[in-house]
Amino acid sequence: MAQRLHLVFGGELTDPSRSEFRDTDKIHIVGIFPNYQTAYAAWKAEAQRTVDSAHTRYFIAHLHRLRDEEREVSPTEELGG
């Protein structure tokens, strides 16, 4: 099975109904995980830890969706950029 990396991160939002962080310098990076199951467990732990803060939210980003290994690389990637 291919490795499917996931990023778990979160922090205080400007408004609980929006996904805009109050201060991007204070975003909490929980970590990068090798699969959805471990990312979900980390997300759930952080979400439960901050349950009393209505403005704090955690998210799971599917990093594996950002790059398609079958697609031809861009000129910048070929240069190592």
Side-chain angles (χ1 to χ4, degrees):
M1 184 171 163
Q3 187 178 57
R4 297 186 181 268
L5 298 176
H6 294 78
L7 168 67
V8 178
F9 66 99
E12 186 179 0
L13 304 178
T14 57
D15 181 325
S17 65
R18 299 180 55 208
S19 295
E20 181 180 315
F21 289 99
R22 184 172 305 281
D23 184 352
T24 55
D25 289 332
K26 293 184 179 177
I27 291 176
H28 175 211
I29 305 297
V30 179
I32 297 176
F33 301 88
N35 56 54
Y36 183 79
Q37 291 77 15
T38 56
Y40 180 82
W43 167 84
K44 187 174 181 178
E46 291 301 323
Q48 288 177 339
R49 186 182 64 78
T50 59
V51 72
D52 291 333
S53 175
H55 282 77
T56 301
R57 292 285 186 280
Y58 279 85
F59 302 90
I60 299 174
H62 300 263
L63 297 180
H64 61 92
R65 293 182 183 167
L66 297 177
R67 182 169 171 87
D68 181 358
E69 296 294 336
E70 300 298 317
R71 201 179 85 230
E72 189 174 321
V73 297
S74 73
T76 10
E77 287 177 297
E78 287 178 354
L79 295 174

